[in-house]
Amino acid sequence: MADLTHEGAADTSTSSEKKLGLSALVALVIGSMIGGGVFSLPQNFASVASPGALLIGWAITGAGMLCLAFIYQNLSARCPDLDGGVYSYARAGFGDFIGFQSAWGYWFSAWLGNVSYAVLLFSAMSFFIPVFGDGNNLPSIIGASVVLWLVHALVLRGVREAAYINTILTVVKVIILLVFIVAVLIAFRIGVFTADFWGRMMVVEGSRPEIFDQVKNTMLVTTWVFIGIEGATVVSARAAKRADIGKATVIGLLGALAIYVLVSVLSMGILDQANLAGLKNPSMAGVLENVVGPWGAKFVAGGVILSVAGALLAWTLFAAELPRVAAIDGIFPKIFAKENVRHSPSFSLWITNGLIQIFLILTLFYAAGYQAIFSIATAAILPPYLFSAAYGLKLAWSGERYGPGESRTGGIVLGLIATFYGLWLCYAAGDSMLLSSLLFTPGILVFLWQKKSQGQPMMKSYELAIAIAILALAAWTLSLVISGNLQIA
């Protein structure tokens, strides 16, 4: 906690704003990655893979995500002038239009994700207060709205203060996860874990999957649990030390990876694959209940509440901060750059949370409508990862921002692996990635309007080609939806 700020550091801003130190940045990375999904990992993995396939899947995923984390570390060090993280890297590497679409997709995904966090928060609270049901009834929406505007008020008091609360929540939820890990480690039975190690007796959707298919399925699950790895880069303008951004990204990734692996692997030594796959989510509750008794389920439910609350706060910061940086760069409307006296992105925060409130109400009256839009926006956060990796590869390949005689071999290899993994993430998103073209299409109009208002040329020739490709893909996707060949769910 003492590292939260570094007043007087040589590279701090001359602004009166107090900056974020390493511990706060690490907490933002971990807090944004570890939300509600970790509590469902045991069932999610057991339903598609055996222990052997799971270990192989984690090895591949860990290598890919670690390369991406090193890309962010490298870019934050070589590009100290870029303060918007994934958006800034996409813009610097591939132009204004790609940069805008990255910011547009990231922003939509961030605030729509917060709607789902708010619903999940009160669904978890129903373990203790049954009136909240599945988290989308009237009492839940009222409660979620109160929480939303409490978080809003907290962030308005300053990013540093909000980050401090997030640090506390992150520490608490990590402790809860460690308690679970220790409990299942003590109760772990190697005989259960190895009974069907390669899944020869597994049945998934009426067939026995080959080991390759099992590994692929584990990686489809892991696609989403690392969303948030870029957290420190999004708030890089508020970091006390530039070097802390890359450190926080790598430390946060390694911490989250260790927790994910231990939770999912150790659970397979408590219950066999069939029973684990049949658990109700959050499945960690069923695993711990099997180890310590009924109180274990409520202990995990409490963990879900604190974990989701922390993720809600972290993503509120990201969803408000990125449009502010994009507005300063002239990509978003200028008014999004407005801050209050505490240096909080006030206008961006009001717009973001206003949209969240509207969609919270929508979940009450038309839950299917929210789910449809959320499925479209879910995958929109993945292209910025790909563009970040590709930008790292571009710099290493061209030698831009490298010193004379500095070796670029490691950077090229790292960039190739991270770019390939970024492509894999987009592929693994499947139909969600295809549906996201419907979200990027209106972004084209906003981009053109912003360019016109600034008196700038509308689009370069390659940007126009990309825009036409997006429109064509959106038209094709819409035709598939209308014909019933593609489901929005």
Side-chain angles (χ1 to χ4, degrees), residues 82-102:
L82 302 181
D83 286 330
V86 290
Y87 140 73
S88 295
Y89 301 145
R91 184 190 181 209
F94 307 100
D96 284 354
F97 181 66
I98 293 296
F100 171 85
Q101 290 287 19
S102 293

Side-chain angles (χ1 to χ4, degrees), residues 177-222:
L177 289 168
L178 290 177
V179 170
F180 172 86
I181 290 169
V182 170
V184 295
L185 181 61
I186 293 172
F188 184 82
R189 293 175 291 172
I190 191 67
V192 174
F193 185 70
T194 59
D196 189 21
F197 192 72
W198 296 112
R200 292 185 175 89
M201 302 301 295
M202 274 187 64
V203 176
V204 177
E205 296 182 353
S207 62
R208 300 189 188 280
E210 297 294 331
I211 188 67
F212 174 82
D213 294 323
Q214 293 180 49
V215 171
K216 178 184 175 182
N217 289 337
T218 67
M219 296 176 70
L220 293 176
V221 174
T222 60

Side-chain angles (χ1 to χ4, degrees), residues 6 8-13 240-241:
H6 295 275
D11 55 348
T12 54
S13 169
K241 293 182 179 180

Side-chain angles (χ1 to χ4, degrees), residues 360-380:
L360 278 174
I361 295 172
L362 178 62
T363 63
L364 179 62
F365 295 103
Y366 186 44
Y370 160 71
Q371 290 296 335
I373 294 174
F374 182 69
S375 69
I376 293 173
T378 298

Side-chain angles (χ1 to χ4, degrees), residues 7 121 132 187 224 419 426:
E7 297 181 55
L121 177 63
F132 291 126
W224 307 113
T419 301
C426 293

Side-chain angles (χ1 to χ4, degrees), residues 10-292:
D11 55 348
T12 54
S13 169
T14 56
S15 166
S16 60
E17 179 190 6
K18 294 180 179 180
K19 300 289 187 175
L20 304 178
L22 180 60
S23 61
L25 292 171
V26 170
L28 281 172
V29 174
I30 294 178
S32 58
M33 277 195 286
I34 299 180
V38 64
F39 296 92
S40 299
L41 286 183
Q43 186 277 335
N44 291 166
F45 282 121
S47 63
V48 297
S50 61
L54 177 59
L55 291 174
I56 295 173
W58 272 126
I60 297 172
T61 298
M65 291 308 303
L66 193 57
C67 286
L68 188 57
F70 283 134
I71 283 287
Y72 283 127
Q73 184 180 44
N74 187 37
L75 290 176
S76 66
R78 295 187 184 279
C79 310
D81 53 313
L82 302 181
D83 286 330
V86 290
Y87 140 73
S88 295
Y89 301 145
R91 184 190 181 209
F94 307 100
D96 284 354
F97 181 66
I98 293 296
F100 171 85
Q101 290 287 19
S102 293
W104 178 261
Y106 190 96
W107 181 51
F108 262 79
S109 290
W111 65 258
L112 274 170
N114 270 0
V115 177
S116 64
Y117 276 137
V119 171
L120 179 58
L121 177 63
F122 281 86
S123 176
M125 289 185 68
S126 67
F127 272 82
F128 306 97
I129 308 175
V131 70
F132 291 126
D134 292 330
N136 58 357
N137 57 14
L138 182 59
S140 296
I141 299 306
I142 293 173
S145 299
V146 171
V147 170
L148 170 67
W149 294 107
L150 285 175
V151 170
H152 178 89
L154 177 60
V155 178
L156 280 180
R157 287 184 57 82
V159 171
R160 177 180 176 271
E161 286 74 9
Y164 178 80
I165 298 299
N166 176 71
T167 301
I168 295 174
L169 288 172
T170 299
V171 169
V172 173
K173 69 181 174 184
V174 167
I175 290 174
I176 290 172
L177 289 168
L178 290 177
V179 170
F180 172 86
I181 290 169
V182 170
V184 295
L185 181 61
I186 293 172
F188 184 82
R189 293 175 291 172
I190 191 67
V192 174
F193 185 70
T194 59
D196 189 21
F197 192 72
W198 296 112
R200 292 185 175 89
M201 302 301 295
M202 274 187 64
V203 176
V204 177
E205 296 182 353
S207 62
R208 300 189 188 280
E210 297 294 331
I211 188 67
F212 174 82
D213 294 323
Q214 293 180 49
V215 171
K216 178 184 175 182
N217 289 337
T218 67
M219 296 176 70
L220 293 176
V221 174
T222 60
T223 296
W224 307 113
V225 295
F226 288 105
I227 299 297
I229 185 178
E230 74 294 338
T233 69
V234 174
V235 295
S236 57
R238 302 182 186 273
K241 293 182 179 180
R242 192 78 196 182
D244 286 346
I245 299 167
K247 291 178 184 177
T249 301
V250 174
I251 293 171
L253 180 277
L254 290 175
L257 178 61
I259 289 172
Y260 292 152
V261 171
L262 289 170
V263 166
S264 56
V265 172
L266 292 177
S267 294
M268 288 191 165
I270 303 299
L271 296 170
D272 61 50
Q273 182 269 333
N275 285 321
L276 203 56
L279 288 178
K280 176 184 176 182
N281 281 316
S283 51
M284 271 179 57
V287 174
L288 191 59
E289 183 175 17
N290 186 270
V291 173
V292 301

